């Protein structure tokens, strides 16, 4: 299995609950390496562009309002099978359906405020990484 990259957001609810370190610990314990990271407060245009695929869905406005309600941590994770591995660590979109021990089971309050985002495929990972980071901001691991 080749080394892959995926894109992660620690959403405003989890940042507000001081869970950045706890969530990073889960990534690192799973062998996912952080190769870029920053804290940002999204504006409407940035959040709407990020979730453009959902623009016709009934929850879109609530999603954008939530994602702009406070700062988020955005990061690029690197590792074997990183896209799928990261989705497994996050758990199901609705925390009520998430397996025990996943981030959403442990830290999310609802489907609307569900703590974390992760890319759902390698192609979306590449698009989402480029939406937040320049090539120069990525720090490939050499050891
Ligand atoms: P994400 O993109 O945030 O990682 O979440 P996901 O892939 O697990 O879920 P997705 O279908 O992409 O939905 C994006 C976010 O929209 C909210 N949502 N609400 N009320 C609803 O039925 C509903 N469905 C989705 C969630 O907050 C989800 O994370
Ligand atoms: Mg999604």
């Amino acid at each position: 299995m080749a080394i892959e990259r995926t894109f992660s957001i620690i959403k405003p609810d989890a940042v507000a609950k001081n869970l950045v370190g706890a969530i990073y610990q889960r990534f690192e314990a799973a062998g996912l390496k952080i190769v870029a990271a920053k804290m940002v407060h999204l504006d409407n245009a940035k959040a709407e562009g990020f979730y453009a695929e959902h623009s016709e869905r009934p929850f879109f406005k609530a999603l954008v309002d939530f994602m702009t309600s406070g700062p988020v941590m955005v990061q690029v994770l690197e590792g074997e099978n990183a896209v799928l591995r990261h989705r497994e660590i996050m758990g199901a979109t609705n925390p009520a359906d998430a397996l025990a021990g996943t981030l959403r089971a442990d830290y999310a309050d609802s489907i609307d405020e569900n703590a974390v985002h992760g890319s759902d495929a390698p192609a979306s990972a590449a698009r989402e990484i480029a939406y937040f980071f320049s090539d120069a901001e990525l720090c490939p691991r050499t050891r």
Side-chain angles (χ1 to χ4, degrees):
M1 173 60 68
I3 298 296
E4 201 172 65
R5 285 179 179 167
T6 192
F7 177 72
S8 153
I9 302 178
I10 301 176
K11 294 183 179 183
D13 56 330
V15 172
K17 289 191 272 188
N18 259 1
L19 290 169
V20 172
I23 292 172
Y24 272 21
Q25 198 164 31
R26 299 278 183 100
F27 296 157
E28 294 187 328
L32 294 173
K33 297 177 177 181
I34 300 161
V35 299
K38 58 190 170 191
M39 181 171 276
V40 289
H41 194 141
L42 304 181
D43 61 18
N44 276 339
K46 190 81 176 177
E48 287 168 2
F50 183 73
Y51 279 120
E53 67 181 299
H54 297 310
S55 62
E56 303 303 320
R57 308 282 287 278
F59 57 81
F60 185 64
K61 186 179 182 306
L63 176 60
V64 170
D65 286 350
F66 167 58
M67 291 300 292
T68 57
S69 68
V72 299
M73 284 294 302
V74 295
Q75 44 279 321
V76 179
L77 307 176
E78 185 177 273
E80 281 189 17
N81 211 9
V83 172
L84 193 60
R85 186 86 192 88
H86 180 222
R87 295 284 290 192
E88 288 171 353
I89 292 166
M90 293 195 321
T93 307
N94 186 345
D97 300 329
L99 293 178
T102 61
L103 290 170
R104 283 166 166 164
D106 289 347
Y107 298 136
D109 292 328
S110 68
I111 191 172
D112 299 306
E113 303 206 354
N114 60 3
V116 285
H117 160 81
S119 308
D120 57 15
S124 51
R127 175 170 46 78
E128 292 172 0
I129 289 168
Y131 192 72
F132 280 95
F133 292 100
S134 68
D135 283 346
E137 289 178 298
L138 304 175
C139 301
R141 293 301 183 90
T142 55
R143 54 182 287 181

